[in-house]
Amino acid sequence: LDGELAPGERRYLTLLRTSTSEALFADRRFRNRTLVLEGRRFPRSDLVEVTRYQWFEDGKLRDVYYWCEVCSIKTLDPGECACCQGEVEFREEKASGR
């Protein structure tokens, strides 16, 4: 929405609930955080599909994700590992320069 809003103007968007955005709804660690969301907005709507998220910790941007130690798979989905169906572990680290 950069450049679309006048200073001080607000717009409310609806986040599409997908496996990628599920953590935003299901994981309590995301509550009361300042988030940076990336995604795509559907044309002529206020519906957003989240494809990446980060948060601020002590003023620094952090990548947050889930990791399967067994399969070495990084995912945004807090559910079971897509490969082994084992438990994934929540992790955060200094934001990558993507």
Side-chain angles (χ1 to χ4, degrees):
L1 292 179
D2 291 339
E4 287 187 28
L5 302 176
E9 184 181 359
R10 291 184 180 191
R11 174 178 277 159
Y12 293 94
L13 303 172
T14 302
L15 300 181
L16 186 60
R17 193 168 186 163
T18 65
S19 60
T20 304
S21 67
E22 182 62 24
L24 303 174
F25 298 96
D27 191 330
R28 292 182 167 272
R29 289 175 277 227
F30 286 85
R31 296 187 183 156
N32 299 315
R33 296 280 190 163
T34 299
L35 301 173
V36 175
L37 304 177
E38 289 183 24
R40 69 180 181 120
R41 191 166 125 216
F42 289 88
R44 297 178 298 284
S45 79
D46 287 331
L47 187 63
V48 175
E49 178 181 28
V50 175
T51 57
R52 183 176 187 217
Y53 49 75
Q54 299 169 299
W55 69 33
F56 285 95
E57 181 75 34
D58 297 325
K60 296 188 169 106
L61 194 58
R62 309 281 292 172
D63 287 331
V64 290
Y65 59 92
Y66 299 87
W67 178 259
C68 177
E69 192 67 39
V70 174
C71 304
S72 297
I73 294 176
K74 183 178 182 178
T75 182
L76 296 178
D77 185 354
E80 298 174 334
C81 173
C83 180
C84 71
Q85 281 72 53
E87 189 174 330
V88 293
E89 166 188 325
F90 178 81
R91 292 193 176 177
E92 70 174 280
E93 61 188 33
K94 181 180 173 185
S96 60
R98 184 177 142 172

